[in-house]
Amino acid sequence: MQISRMGCRRCGVTLEAAFDIPPLARLPVKDQLFVVAFVRHHGSIKKMERLLGVSYPTVKNRLRAIGAALDRSFDAPSPNAAVLDRLAAGEITVDQALERIEG
């Protein structure tokens, strides 16, 4: 799946191009929920054990598996990421971004 349109509700600007899905969004929903819970509990494996009712090694194994899945997501950065970063920082205009977006 690929995102093809992004819009700003505040200013009404819309961009149409081939946007990559962020690595965390590529994870299965159950892994996304695990990451959210882990961050909300400040990375405490002990709290995750209690929350999920599982053992310390189970939490560690789950973290390793999610980490490995995320590592695979970072093989090659999107060529459009730098353009979008510059647009977000106000360094270039929307028209300039549209000219530079690949896809």
Side-chain angles (χ1 to χ4, degrees), residues 40-53:
R40 289 191 72 213
H41 290 287
H42 309 284
S44 170
I45 293 176
K46 291 278 186 207
K47 286 184 181 178
M48 293 298 289
E49 287 179 86
R50 288 191 297 271
L51 178 69
L52 301 173

Side-chain angles (χ1 to χ4, degrees), residues 2 10 17 19 22 31 36 39-42 61 67 69 74 76 79 84 87-88 93 100:
Q2 189 172 44
R10 188 174 43 129
F19 301 101
D31 288 343
V36 169
V39 170
R40 289 191 72 213
H41 290 287
H42 309 284
N61 287 337
F74 290 106
L84 294 175
L87 176 63
T93 66
R100 296 174 186 174

Side-chain angles (χ1 to χ4, degrees), residues 13-71:
V13 171
T14 301
L15 294 175
E16 291 191 28
F19 301 101
D20 289 330
I21 296 173
L24 285 174
R26 292 182 201 152
L27 292 174
V29 172
K30 66 179 185 138
D31 288 343
Q32 291 178 36
L33 294 173
F34 184 91
V35 170
V36 169
F38 189 68
V39 170
R40 289 191 72 213
H41 290 287
H42 309 284
S44 170
I45 293 176
K46 291 278 186 207
K47 286 184 181 178
M48 293 298 289
E49 287 179 86
R50 288 191 297 271
L51 178 69
L52 301 173
V54 297
S55 68
Y56 184 94
T58 301
V59 175
K60 290 291 285 184
N61 287 337
R62 186 93 179 266
L63 285 170
R64 274 192 215 97
I66 292 170
L70 289 172
D71 285 345

